[in-house]
Amino acid sequence: NGITEAGSNQPKNIGLGSSASISGLPPLKAQQSVSNVTNTVPPGTVITNVIPTNAPPGSDLAELLQKTISYGQDGLQQLLKAPKVVQLDVKVDRGSWTPPSKGVALIQSCKQISVKERNEAYKLEQENFYGSGIEMTKQIFENLRRNSGVSQKDIRTVIQRILLTLTTDKAVILNLASYENSFTDYIYNHSFNMTLLSMNIALQAGFAGEDIIRVGEAAFLSDVGMVLVPETVRMKDGKFANMERFEIQKHPILGYSILDRIPGIPDYVCLAAYQHHERSNGSGYPKKRKGRFIHPYAQIIAIADVYESLSSSRPHRVGHTPYKAMEAVIRMGRMGLLDLVHIRNFVTCMSLFPLGSLVKLNTSQIARVIDSGGKEFAKPRVTVLTDDDGVRLPNDQMFQVDLSIQKEYSITHALAPDPSHFSRMDGF
């Protein structure tokens, strides 16, 4: 597919092992302890509704489901046999999706603010928007977990604000998404970042504005089922046991079941939540669907989900560098797990060294990636942050280099984030 490692004529053998490892979940080990989750539901118990219709407002759905759904593999089978889930699978069997609208590709009217146009007040405004977006994500997810009301209008307002930023200054907001967040529960910043990345892929793919908003809505809510996974599993600091893995695999079904109860929620949002862990070669979950039987939005979100998961830390592991995460996504495409067309769109708009990455140049200087190189995957635009001894330059002496034009510069390797020496906005 033409994507190669910087400085090499051959694609790098990433060597990530099994698809389970690549997806961000560690391989199973024998005789692992299971999280202490109280659950006394007899195996084989039939459930009519995943979330009981008489669940009172304000009730904790996570606690409620521990009393109605079996733990582990038995519970996963219960969920798959629930009547509404079966009905959804019948719809999926048709493999017929509403095509994108015929509107003008929004990317044709996008612009990119330059470094000189960003003052400190503007940068602070963008940081505040990013922080408030994650806070809004937390509020919405907690409301859904507590069986409280959520308005689709509120969700769409967040998505429209994201789209405005992506069409005027995508570089700065995607840079912010590359940093670790202070929330103790990763699911909020993961979902918000996944929304930014998914919409970015749709923008690059030539979608019209309304279709990009739909992708954003679907991405924003796709992992909401994780709030119903026991916290002792979701936040476990260690390897997942077999039963715990099945608990994680419940979350697409739980997400669908939450969203299906929201009045007026579009089908594409529910389907994306249900299918964003399916894989093109049929190795995903919960139903091992292939190719055309996976909703197009879910295929986009899957790429954003894998990249964001691998590049961020979890309680049981440290995150990869953005470069390593991008390599993993590319490898998964070659293995037939993810859609290669959208991976190409993703790399085109993010670079092989993704926006916000720190890199070492052949001059021994450290630089930050501030814009993609388009189809020049390994030659993005960067801001040089240090001299050739690695000493930080004063802000007014930092300078930009377009690696696709200024051939005397090249990237030798990617660096890990270094918040002790560089702030998240340095170089932008």
PDB file of all heavy atoms in Angstrom, residues 311-331:
ATOM      1  N   SER A 311      -2.199   4.067  21.721  1.00  0.00           N
ATOM      2  CA  SER A 311      -1.345   5.219  21.996  1.00  0.00           C
ATOM      3  C   SER A 311      -1.593   5.828  23.371  1.00  0.00           C
ATOM      4  O   SER A 311      -0.925   6.796  23.751  1.00  0.00           O
ATOM      5  CB  SER A 311      -1.532   6.291  20.915  1.00  0.00           C
ATOM      6  OG  SER A 311      -2.873   6.743  20.871  1.00  0.00           O
ATOM      7  N   SER A 312      -2.535   5.276  24.121  1.00  0.00           N
ATOM      8  CA  SER A 312      -2.855   5.776  25.459  1.00  0.00           C
ATOM      9  C   SER A 312      -2.591   4.697  26.500  1.00  0.00           C
ATOM     10  O   SER A 312      -2.708   3.507  26.211  1.00  0.00           O
ATOM     11  CB  SER A 312      -4.334   6.207  25.533  1.00  0.00           C
ATOM     12  OG  SER A 312      -4.616   7.196  24.568  1.00  0.00           O
ATOM     13  N   SER A 313      -2.260   5.132  27.696  1.00  0.00           N
ATOM     14  CA  SER A 313      -2.014   4.184  28.781  1.00  0.00           C
ATOM     15  C   SER A 313      -3.325   3.643  29.328  1.00  0.00           C
ATOM     16  O   SER A 313      -4.376   4.284  29.242  1.00  0.00           O
ATOM     17  CB  SER A 313      -1.229   4.860  29.911  1.00  0.00           C
ATOM     18  OG  SER A 313       0.055   5.241  29.471  1.00  0.00           O
ATOM     19  N   ARG A 314      -3.252   2.441  29.858  1.00  0.00           N
ATOM     20  CA  ARG A 314      -4.366   1.801  30.544  1.00  0.00           C
ATOM     21  C   ARG A 314      -3.847   1.333  31.904  1.00  0.00           C
ATOM     22  O   ARG A 314      -2.629   1.250  32.120  1.00  0.00           O
ATOM     23  CB  ARG A 314      -4.894   0.614  29.731  1.00  0.00           C
ATOM     24  CG  ARG A 314      -5.530   0.998  28.397  1.00  0.00           C
ATOM     25  CD  ARG A 314      -6.844   1.726  28.611  1.00  0.00           C
ATOM     26  NE  ARG A 314      -7.503   2.052  27.340  1.00  0.00           N
ATOM     27  CZ  ARG A 314      -7.394   3.223  26.727  1.00  0.00           C
ATOM     28  NH1 ARG A 314      -6.623   4.167  27.253  1.00  0.00           N
ATOM     29  NH2 ARG A 314      -8.040   3.460  25.608  1.00  0.00           N
ATOM     30  N   PRO A 315      -4.734   0.998  32.829  1.00  0.00           N
ATOM     31  CA  PRO A 315      -4.258   0.559  34.142  1.00  0.00           C
ATOM     32  C   PRO A 315      -3.274  -0.599  34.074  1.00  0.00           C
ATOM     33  O   PRO A 315      -2.395  -0.710  34.927  1.00  0.00           O
ATOM     34  CB  PRO A 315      -5.554   0.146  34.857  1.00  0.00           C
ATOM     35  CG  PRO A 315      -6.614   0.997  34.235  1.00  0.00           C
ATOM     36  CD  PRO A 315      -6.216   1.109  32.787  1.00  0.00           C
ATOM     37  N   HIS A 316      -3.393  -1.453  33.042  1.00  0.00           N
ATOM     38  CA  HIS A 316      -2.545  -2.638  32.973  1.00  0.00           C
ATOM     39  C   HIS A 316      -1.342  -2.481  32.045  1.00  0.00           C
ATOM     40  O   HIS A 316      -0.563  -3.420  31.885  1.00  0.00           O
ATOM     41  CB  HIS A 316      -3.372  -3.852  32.529  1.00  0.00           C
ATOM     42  CG  HIS A 316      -3.986  -3.714  31.159  1.00  0.00           C
ATOM     43  ND1 HIS A 316      -5.167  -3.047  30.950  1.00  0.00           N
ATOM     44  CD2 HIS A 316      -3.581  -4.154  29.944  1.00  0.00           C
ATOM     45  CE1 HIS A 316      -5.470  -3.082  29.670  1.00  0.00           C
ATOM     46  NE2 HIS A 316      -4.518  -3.750  29.031  1.00  0.00           N
ATOM     47  N   ARG A 317      -1.167  -1.306  31.410  1.00  0.00           N
ATOM     48  CA  ARG A 317      -0.027  -1.145  30.499  1.00  0.00           C
ATOM     49  C   ARG A 317       0.215   0.328  30.206  1.00  0.00           C
ATOM     50  O   ARG A 317      -0.654   1.180  30.411  1.00  0.00           O
ATOM     51  CB  ARG A 317      -0.280  -1.874  29.179  1.00  0.00           C
ATOM     52  CG  ARG A 317      -1.508  -1.378  28.440  1.00  0.00           C
ATOM     53  CD  ARG A 317      -1.525  -1.856  27.008  1.00  0.00           C
ATOM     54  NE  ARG A 317      -2.771  -1.497  26.353  1.00  0.00           N
ATOM     55  CZ  ARG A 317      -3.059  -0.290  25.859  1.00  0.00           C
ATOM     56  NH1 ARG A 317      -2.180   0.686  25.984  1.00  0.00           N
ATOM     57  NH2 ARG A 317      -4.220  -0.050  25.280  1.00  0.00           N
ATOM     58  N   VAL A 318       1.422   0.612  29.709  1.00  0.00           N
ATOM     59  CA  VAL A 318       1.791   1.955  29.273  1.00  0.00           C
ATOM     60  C   VAL A 318       1.500   2.076  27.775  1.00  0.00           C
ATOM     61  O   VAL A 318       1.671   1.112  27.019  1.00  0.00           O
ATOM     62  CB  VAL A 318       3.286   2.223  29.544  1.00  0.00           C
ATOM     63  CG1 VAL A 318       3.711   3.581  29.010  1.00  0.00           C
ATOM     64  CG2 VAL A 318       3.567   2.134  31.042  1.00  0.00           C
ATOM     65  N   GLY A 319       1.043   3.249  27.353  1.00  0.00           N
ATOM     66  CA  GLY A 319       0.713   3.444  25.948  1.00  0.00           C
ATOM     67  C   GLY A 319       1.945   3.456  25.047  1.00  0.00           C
ATOM     68  O   GLY A 319       3.051   3.790  25.475  1.00  0.00           O
ATOM     69  N   HIS A 320       1.741   3.089  23.786  1.00  0.00           N
ATOM     70  CA  HIS A 320       2.802   3.163  22.780  1.00  0.00           C
ATOM     71  C   HIS A 320       2.974   4.610  22.323  1.00  0.00           C
ATOM     72  O   HIS A 320       2.105   5.457  22.526  1.00  0.00           O
ATOM     73  CB  HIS A 320       2.442   2.310  21.562  1.00  0.00           C
ATOM     74  CG  HIS A 320       2.333   0.845  21.846  1.00  0.00           C
ATOM     75  ND1 HIS A 320       3.414   0.061  22.160  1.00  0.00           N
ATOM     76  CD2 HIS A 320       1.260   0.019  21.857  1.00  0.00           C
ATOM     77  CE1 HIS A 320       3.024  -1.186  22.357  1.00  0.00           C
ATOM     78  NE2 HIS A 320       1.718  -1.238  22.181  1.00  0.00           N
ATOM     79  N   THR A 321       4.087   4.897  21.675  1.00  0.00           N
ATOM     80  CA  THR A 321       4.212   6.193  21.012  1.00  0.00           C
ATOM     81  C   THR A 321       3.189   6.249  19.880  1.00  0.00           C
ATOM     82  O   THR A 321       2.783   5.210  19.346  1.00  0.00           O
ATOM     83  CB  THR A 321       5.621   6.388  20.428  1.00  0.00           C
ATOM     84  OG1 THR A 321       5.841   5.414  19.402  1.00  0.00           O
ATOM     85  CG2 THR A 321       6.694   6.285  21.490  1.00  0.00           C
ATOM     86  N   PRO A 322       2.755   7.450  19.491  1.00  0.00           N
ATOM     87  CA  PRO A 322       1.817   7.548  18.357  1.00  0.00           C
ATOM     88  C   PRO A 322       2.323   6.850  17.105  1.00  0.00           C
ATOM     89  O   PRO A 322       1.556   6.231  16.366  1.00  0.00           O
ATOM     90  CB  PRO A 322       1.677   9.062  18.156  1.00  0.00           C
ATOM     91  CG  PRO A 322       1.934   9.639  19.512  1.00  0.00           C
ATOM     92  CD  PRO A 322       2.990   8.766  20.113  1.00  0.00           C
ATOM     93  N   TYR A 323       3.641   6.932  16.859  1.00  0.00           N
ATOM     94  CA  TYR A 323       4.225   6.282  15.684  1.00  0.00           C
ATOM     95  C   TYR A 323       4.024   4.765  15.745  1.00  0.00           C
ATOM     96  O   TYR A 323       3.625   4.133  14.759  1.00  0.00           O
ATOM     97  CB  TYR A 323       5.708   6.626  15.602  1.00  0.00           C
ATOM     98  CG  TYR A 323       6.486   5.869  14.548  1.00  0.00           C
ATOM     99  CD1 TYR A 323       6.299   6.137  13.197  1.00  0.00           C
ATOM    100  CD2 TYR A 323       7.410   4.896  14.905  1.00  0.00           C
ATOM    101  CE1 TYR A 323       7.017   5.453  12.224  1.00  0.00           C
ATOM    102  CE2 TYR A 323       8.131   4.207  13.943  1.00  0.00           C
ATOM    103  CZ  TYR A 323       7.928   4.483  12.607  1.00  0.00           C
ATOM    104  OH  TYR A 323       8.632   3.803  11.656  1.00  0.00           O
ATOM    105  N   LYS A 324       4.309   4.164  16.901  1.00  0.00           N
ATOM    106  CA  LYS A 324       4.141   2.721  17.045  1.00  0.00           C
ATOM    107  C   LYS A 324       2.663   2.327  16.918  1.00  0.00           C
ATOM    108  O   LYS A 324       2.325   1.287  16.338  1.00  0.00           O
ATOM    109  CB  LYS A 324       4.689   2.257  18.396  1.00  0.00           C
ATOM    110  CG  LYS A 324       6.207   2.264  18.480  1.00  0.00           C
ATOM    111  CD  LYS A 324       6.808   1.221  17.560  1.00  0.00           C
ATOM    112  CE  LYS A 324       8.320   1.149  17.703  1.00  0.00           C
ATOM    113  NZ  LYS A 324       8.916   0.197  16.729  1.00  0.00           N
ATOM    114  N   ALA A 325       1.784   3.162  17.464  1.00  0.00           N
ATOM    115  CA  ALA A 325       0.350   2.879  17.340  1.00  0.00           C
ATOM    116  C   ALA A 325      -0.086   2.928  15.879  1.00  0.00           C
ATOM    117  O   ALA A 325      -0.883   2.091  15.425  1.00  0.00           O
ATOM    118  CB  ALA A 325      -0.457   3.875  18.182  1.00  0.00           C
ATOM    119  N   MET A 326       0.444   3.891  15.122  1.00  0.00           N
ATOM    120  CA  MET A 326       0.097   3.986  13.707  1.00  0.00           C
ATOM    121  C   MET A 326       0.625   2.783  12.941  1.00  0.00           C
ATOM    122  O   MET A 326      -0.054   2.234  12.055  1.00  0.00           O
ATOM    123  CB  MET A 326       0.643   5.287  13.110  1.00  0.00           C
ATOM    124  CG  MET A 326       0.216   5.538  11.672  1.00  0.00           C
ATOM    125  SD  MET A 326      -1.595   5.746  11.492  1.00  0.00           S
ATOM    126  CE  MET A 326      -1.772   7.469  11.989  1.00  0.00           C
ATOM    127  N   GLU A 327       1.837   2.350  13.259  1.00  0.00           N
ATOM    128  CA  GLU A 327       2.373   1.149  12.628  1.00  0.00           C
ATOM    129  C   GLU A 327       1.452  -0.049  12.883  1.00  0.00           C
ATOM    130  O   GLU A 327       1.222  -0.875  11.992  1.00  0.00           O
ATOM    131  CB  GLU A 327       3.759   0.832  13.185  1.00  0.00           C
ATOM    132  CG  GLU A 327       4.877   1.656  12.606  1.00  0.00           C
ATOM    133  CD  GLU A 327       6.245   1.116  13.026  1.00  0.00           C
ATOM    134  OE1 GLU A 327       6.385   0.633  14.166  1.00  0.00           O
ATOM    135  OE2 GLU A 327       7.155   1.163  12.196  1.00  0.00           O
ATOM    136  N   ALA A 328       0.952  -0.142  14.109  1.00  0.00           N
ATOM    137  CA  ALA A 328       0.079  -1.266  14.459  1.00  0.00           C
ATOM    138  C   ALA A 328      -1.206  -1.239  13.651  1.00  0.00           C
ATOM    139  O   ALA A 328      -1.690  -2.278  13.176  1.00  0.00           O
ATOM    140  CB  ALA A 328      -0.239  -1.234  15.958  1.00  0.00           C
ATOM    141  N   VAL A 329      -1.783  -0.055  13.474  1.00  0.00           N
ATOM    142  CA  VAL A 329      -2.996   0.080  12.664  1.00  0.00           C
ATOM    143  C   VAL A 329      -2.723  -0.368  11.230  1.00  0.00           C
ATOM    144  O   VAL A 329      -3.522  -1.106  10.626  1.00  0.00           O
ATOM    145  CB  VAL A 329      -3.502   1.538  12.704  1.00  0.00           C
ATOM    146  CG1 VAL A 329      -4.575   1.771  11.641  1.00  0.00           C
ATOM    147  CG2 VAL A 329      -4.046   1.884  14.083  1.00  0.00           C
ATOM    148  N   ILE A 330      -1.595   0.061  10.677  1.00  0.00           N
ATOM    149  CA  ILE A 330      -1.239  -0.320   9.301  1.00  0.00           C
ATOM    150  C   ILE A 330      -1.082  -1.829   9.198  1.00  0.00           C
ATOM    151  O   ILE A 330      -1.563  -2.472   8.243  1.00  0.00           O
ATOM    152  CB  ILE A 330       0.045   0.402   8.862  1.00  0.00           C
ATOM    153  CG1 ILE A 330      -0.202   1.911   8.763  1.00  0.00           C
ATOM    154  CG2 ILE A 330       0.543  -0.142   7.518  1.00  0.00           C
ATOM    155  CD1 ILE A 330       1.065   2.736   8.633  1.00  0.00           C
ATOM    156  N   ARG A 331      -0.424  -2.413  10.178  1.00  0.00           N
ATOM    157  CA  ARG A 331      -0.241  -3.869  10.157  1.00  0.00           C
ATOM    158  C   ARG A 331      -1.576  -4.598  10.233  1.00  0.00           C
ATOM    159  O   ARG A 331      -1.791  -5.601   9.548  1.00  0.00           O
ATOM    160  CB  ARG A 331       0.672  -4.310  11.302  1.00  0.00           C
ATOM    161  CG  ARG A 331       0.954  -5.802  11.283  1.00  0.00           C
ATOM    162  CD  ARG A 331       2.062  -6.186  12.240  1.00  0.00           C
ATOM    163  NE  ARG A 331       2.285  -7.618  12.220  1.00  0.00           N
ATOM    164  CZ  ARG A 331       3.032  -8.252  11.326  1.00  0.00           C
ATOM    165  NH1 ARG A 331       3.634  -7.566  10.370  1.00  0.00           N
ATOM    166  NH2 ARG A 331       3.194  -9.564  11.373  1.00  0.00           N
TER     167      ARG A 331
END
